[in-house]
């Protein structure tokens, strides 16, 4: 038979409030003897507190929503793992939400998480962010952005990487290794992530006195299939290119597959460079040269930032421009899909 908190208190000879404080670890002023007595009764009857009732008292559920656009992309499970590890250490549980990069699904998840009274939300939003500020107006929990940036007064913090500089370093690396006709296969240009990487690509060309050719830039999705289709589009232009800088590793993997099927050797004929450094990058043939993002660290720091916000109830953002933004750096990982020419 299930025991109640009232019965635990009666058997231990203490008040219900005392049992509640001990269970919720808010028992600084309670003696060790009393604490041990209560915990022995809890263990004896395998008492499990009513989480819903507890949340009504504490105004917290110790649950956090994590909204990701594509869990099949190996980049995002790395973020999820970092966030989950920090959440577990801090006594929080996570509700994972996969949107398939669809705004309407994203909106539904935000609404459901708000109804479930989550303590906060971490979100890597879908490709269409224009409606997000209005959607977040109805969200009462603090929100932390991760990976993909946009502006909203409801955002309490951001954890991003320097995408512009990462792309700049990558394209500059290709140029220093002799590549001069560099194509770019981008993800959706509806995200700040993609537009920053495009801008870094353009800046690297300009700083090396290479003329920008818009026919060598194609945008699509962060998927292997788009990498294949992107190469088909590049080949159909009849524009000459000696390398491809890709918006992420999945695009790069698809691009290499299509190039091989068309008789090209990598890197002898065409060099290929990715972005992310997912686990698959080192397993493909040839292993992929790429820009490494600190994926696990992004998730961990986003959760850390959110929990700081939750614990600081008075941490209101009077000026959204001064919210805490953590910008992480990227690193070039040299493998065999590019070679000095």
């Amino acid at each position: 038979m299930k025991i109640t908190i009232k019965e635990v208190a009666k058997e231990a000879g203490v008040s219900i409030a005392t049992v509640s404080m001990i269970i919720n670890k808010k028992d600084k002023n309670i003696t060790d003897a009393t604490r041990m007595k209560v915990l022995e009764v809890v263990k004896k009857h395998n008492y499990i507190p009513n989480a819903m009732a507890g949340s009504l008292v504490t105004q917290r559920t110790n649950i956090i929503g994590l909204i990701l656009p594509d869990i099949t992309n190996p980049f995002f499970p790395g973020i999820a793992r970092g966030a989950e590890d920090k959440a577990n250490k801090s006594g929080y549980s996570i509700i994972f939400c996969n949107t398939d990069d669809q705004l309407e699904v994203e909106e539904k998840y935000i609404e459901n998480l708000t109804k479930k009274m989550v303590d906060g939300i971490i979100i890597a939003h879908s490709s269409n962010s224009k409606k997000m500020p209005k959607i977040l107006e109805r969200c009462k929990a603090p929100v932390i952005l991760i990976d993909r940036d946009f502006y909203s007064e409801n955002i309490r913090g951001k954890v991003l990487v320097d995408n512009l500089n990462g792309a700049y370093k990558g394209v500059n690396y290709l140029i220093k290794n002799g590549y001069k006709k560099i194509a770019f296969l981008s993800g959706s240009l509806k995200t700040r992530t993609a537009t920053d990487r495009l801008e870094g690509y353009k800046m690297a060309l300009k700083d090396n006195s290479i003329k920008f050719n818009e026919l060598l830039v194609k945008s699509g999705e962060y998927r292997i299939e788009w990498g294949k289709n992107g190469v088909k589009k590049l080949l159909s232009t009849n524009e000459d290119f000696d390398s491809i800088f890709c918006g992420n590793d999945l695009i790069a993997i698809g691009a290499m597959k299509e190039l091989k099927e068309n008789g090209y050797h990598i890197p002898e004929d065409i060099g290929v460079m990715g972005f992310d450094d997912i686990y698959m990058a080192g397993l493909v043939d040839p292993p992929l040269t790429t820009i490494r993002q600190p994926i696990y660290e992004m998730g961990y720091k986003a959760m850390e930032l959110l929990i700081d916000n939750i614990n600081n109830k008075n941490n209101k953002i009077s000026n959204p421009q001064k919210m805490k933004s953590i910008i992480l750096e990227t690193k070039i990982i040299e493998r065999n899909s590019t070679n000095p020419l």
Side-chain angles (χ1 to χ4, degrees):
M1 184 176 177
K2 189 175 180 180
I3 192 172
T4 66
I5 190 172
K6 184 177 180 180
E7 291 168 323
V8 170
K10 183 178 180 180
E11 185 170 334
V14 298
S15 68
I16 294 174
T18 298
V19 176
S20 178
M21 284 189 288
I22 292 171
I23 290 172
N24 291 298
K25 298 181 179 179
K26 295 182 178 180
D27 52 351
K28 291 182 180 179
N29 298 321
I30 295 175
T31 65
D32 290 340
T34 300
R35 186 183 300 107
M36 290 298 297
K37 189 190 301 182
V38 170
L39 291 177
E40 283 175 5
V41 176
V42 168
K43 184 178 180 181
K44 174 184 174 182
H45 296 284
N46 194 27
Y47 171 69
I48 300 174
N50 186 317
M52 186 60 70
S55 67
L56 292 174
V57 176
T58 64
Q59 296 297 302
R60 291 191 185 182
T61 58
N62 278 34
I63 298 173
I64 288 169
L66 177 60
I67 302 176
L68 301 174
D70 183 10
I71 203 67
T72 64
N73 181 339
F75 171 78
F76 290 109
I79 283 180
R81 178 59 188 270
E84 186 176 33
D85 283 355
K86 175 57 183 176
N88 285 338
K89 287 180 183 178
S90 304
Y92 286 85
S93 299
I94 293 181
I95 297 176
F96 290 99
C97 306
N98 177 59
T99 68
D100 285 325
D101 222 13
Q102 300 296 314
L103 180 66
E104 58 272 17
V105 178
E106 190 170 62
E107 183 175 9
K108 182 179 178 181
Y109 275 133
I110 291 172
E111 182 180 334
N112 288 340
L113 290 172
T114 301
K115 287 179 180 177
K116 293 180 185 297
M117 298 174 61
V118 296
D119 292 339
I121 295 173
I122 296 173
I123 181 170
H125 66 80
S126 66
S127 297
N128 187 351
S129 64
K130 290 183 179 179
K131 295 183 179 179
M132 282 304 297
K134 191 170 183 65
I135 293 171
L136 288 177
E137 284 178 7
R138 304 193 297 271
C139 180
K140 304 303 180 184
V143 177
I144 301 295
L145 287 185
I146 190 167
D147 181 49
R148 299 178 177 182
D149 191 13
F150 72 95
Y151 174 81
S152 171
E153 292 185 0
N154 290 53
I155 302 300
R156 304 289 286 274
K158 304 177 180 181
V159 178
L160 311 167
V161 299
D162 191 340
N163 286 293
L164 189 150
N165 187 51
Y168 180 90
K169 288 191 298 187
V171 176
N172 201 54
Y173 168 86
L174 291 173
I175 294 169
K176 297 305 180 187
N177 279 279
Y179 297 102
K180 303 298 181 185
K181 300 174 182 178
I182 305 169
F184 180 34
L185 293 183
S186 172
S188 171
L189 291 174
K190 292 180 180 178
T191 66
R192 176 74 180 274
T193 300
T195 56
D196 279 356
R197 290 175 189 176
L198 175 59
E199 189 60 27
Y201 165 82
K202 289 180 177 179
M203 286 175 59
L205 296 181
K206 182 179 179 181
D207 287 353
N208 287 277
S209 301
I210 298 175
K211 186 178 179 180
F212 171 70
N213 182 354
E214 63 180 13
L215 293 176
L216 291 181
V217 176
K218 308 294 179 184
S219 65
E221 300 178 315
Y222 291 107
R223 300 177 185 272
I224 290 175
E225 195 59 35
W226 162 240
K228 296 179 66 178
N229 291 335
V231 167
K232 290 176 184 176
K233 289 179 179 292
L234 288 173
L235 294 175
S236 69
T237 64
N238 293 319
E239 292 289 321
D240 189 25
F241 59 94
D242 56 21
S243 57
I244 306 175
F245 181 71
C246 299
N248 79 345
D249 290 345
L250 293 181
I251 295 174
I253 291 168
M256 289 200 296
K257 182 174 177 62
E258 186 65 25
L259 287 170
K260 289 179 182 179
E261 290 176 0
N262 281 272
Y264 292 94
H265 296 90
I266 304 167
E268 293 82 2
D269 299 326
I270 296 178
V272 178
M273 189 172 199
F275 204 114
D276 285 347
D277 195 31
I278 60 176
Y279 72 90
M280 295 165 62
L283 303 178
V284 292
D285 182 27
L288 181 64
T289 297
T290 188
I291 307 296
R292 174 178 291 169
Q293 296 195 70
I295 302 172
Y296 178 91
E297 187 180 1
M298 288 174 69
Y300 194 96
K301 285 189 173 295
M303 184 61 69
E304 195 170 53
L305 184 56
L306 179 57
I307 292 172
D308 284 345
N309 270 272
I310 293 169
N311 291 335
N312 186 358
K313 292 183 178 179
N314 297 319
N315 186 17
K316 302 294 183 183
I317 302 297
S318 57
N319 182 355
Q321 299 291 348
K322 293 184 178 180
M323 74 177 71
K324 186 167 184 180
S325 294
I326 299 173
I327 310 297
L328 303 173
E329 292 301 319
T330 57
K331 179 183 179 182
I332 294 175
I333 303 299
E334 299 179 81
R335 296 194 180 99
N336 299 336
S337 64
T338 57
N339 273 337
L341 296 180

